[in-house]
Amino acid sequence: MKVVILGAGTAIPAPGYSPAGVYVRIGREQVVLDAGAGSLQRLARLGVTFLDVDRLFLTHFHPDHCLDLVSFLFAMRLPEPARRKPLTVYGPPGLRALVRRLSAAFPTWLEPRTYRLRLVELGQTTLRLGGYTVRTARMQHSAPALAYRLEAHGRAVAYSGDTEICEGIVRLGRGADLLILECSVTDERKVAGHLIPSECGAIARAAGCRHLVLTHFSPVVLGYDIARRVRRAYHGRLSLARDFKAFRL
Ligand SMILES: [Zn+2]
Ligand SMILES: [Zn+2]
């Protein structure tokens, strides 16, 4: 399994910290978790095009996590090179309404012509896909939100999207080889519905993950010693993401 952080930042621009996105090569497939602005462009830097991506998993519908859905669907509509294989987009309830509204805003420009588009709204569930499984858990955020855990050959990566500290993310991250948590605010400026470094540490310790990766840093968080706050609870392997940080499991 290969995991690359496509965007380690939030909606607030900062060099090296683009809006949310994670690329995963797993089983026989290439998938993207969240699609903040510029995700499609950054995928190209990995040598991955819109023709290669098999599935998109969206955690929730805040623009810094899903705006590039428009870019994906528009690129896939263009005749040359034509996309042939189907695309499945997953997300919490509201996905179909979102795509309907986007299609109304960009009349005809997002509608597939050469491939099949499936939109799948998920609750808490387990999916068995091409050589891997995907488990979801509902997160606590200011919008309906899911976290995802992808697992193949005994290796697991879990990704929180945006959330308040909750039991669901501990359960989903249990024993994960890679636990990717958002860390968009800092202990000194806690905001409901988002994680702070000390909470990320507490989640990682409770989950017993093998490697904690923090991402989704707003510029203000980067001004603090994030690792020191994580270390109050968690003493395992820790990485602070930047765009294009890559992991092999
Ligand atoms: Zn959000
Ligand atoms: Zn966010």
Side-chain angles (χ1 to χ4, degrees):
M1 197 188 313
K2 183 179 178 187
V3 178
V4 183
I5 304 293
L6 293 174
T10 61
I12 302 166
Y17 297 92
S18 300
V22 182
Y23 164 78
V24 184
R25 196 174 67 214
I26 183 167
R28 298 183 293 273
E29 296 198 344
Q30 305 190 70
V31 306
V32 175
L33 316 178
D34 275 343
S39 294
L40 185 61
Q41 192 64 238
R42 291 190 296 283
L43 271 177
R45 260 186 61 176
L46 304 181
V48 178
T49 77
F50 59 90
L51 300 176
D52 302 318
V53 174
D54 294 284
R55 297 170 205 269
L56 286 178
F57 295 90
L58 302 176
T59 60
H60 65 296
F61 307 132
H62 284 156
D64 56 329
H65 293 256
C66 70
L67 200 60
D68 244 21
L69 180 56
V70 171
S71 309
F72 274 91
L73 297 182
F74 186 48
M76 289 177 185
R77 190 183 186 278
L78 299 175
E80 191 58 45
R83 169 138 182 143
R84 300 284 174 203
K85 67 176 169 181
L87 174 75
T88 310
V89 183
Y90 302 86
L95 174 65
R96 288 173 178 282
L98 174 75
V99 172
R100 221 170 25 241
R101 288 195 199 103
L102 291 172
S103 298
F106 300 99
T108 73
W109 301 116
L110 307 185
E111 287 163 20
R113 289 191 295 192
T114 57
Y115 70 101
R116 196 163 66 90
L117 174 65
R118 277 179 68 219
L119 304 174
V120 182
E121 297 185 349
L122 300 173
Q124 285 192 170
T125 190
T126 301
L127 308 171
R128 287 172 218 297
L129 302 173
Y132 63 102
T133 62
V134 178
R135 253 170 65 201
T136 67
R138 285 194 194 89
M139 296 294 101
Q140 291 177 20
H141 189 46
S142 50
L146 295 173
Y148 294 97
R149 177 187 176 110
L150 279 59
E151 205 156 350
H153 307 299
R155 298 280 180 180
V157 55
Y159 169 57
S160 67
D162 284 355
T163 189
E164 181 59 72
I165 187 166
C166 63
E167 184 49 40
I169 190 59
V170 174
R171 201 172 59 242
L172 212 69
R174 184 94 59 210
D177 297 275
L178 212 57
L179 174 57
I180 305 171
L181 296 180
E182 71 122 324
C183 187
S184 53
V185 286
T186 187
D187 287 59
E188 290 75 3
R189 319 252 298 249
K190 169 73 180 172
V191 173
H194 285 286
L195 295 175
I196 56 178
S198 62
E199 290 172 340
C200 292
I203 291 167
R205 183 172 67 182
C209 67
R210 292 173 188 276
H211 187 169
L212 172 64
V213 179
L214 299 189
T215 187
H216 210 39
F217 297 122
S218 62
V220 66
V221 179
L222 295 167
Y224 290 85
D225 186 343
I226 298 163
R228 189 168 64 81
R229 287 160 177 77
V230 173
R231 292 299 186 202
R232 287 175 191 156
Y234 172 75
H235 303 285
R237 198 163 165 210
L238 171 67
S239 294
L240 305 182
R242 287 184 68 107
D243 292 359
F244 299 111
K245 179 106 180 152
F247 307 89
R248 276 189 189 278
L249 311 184

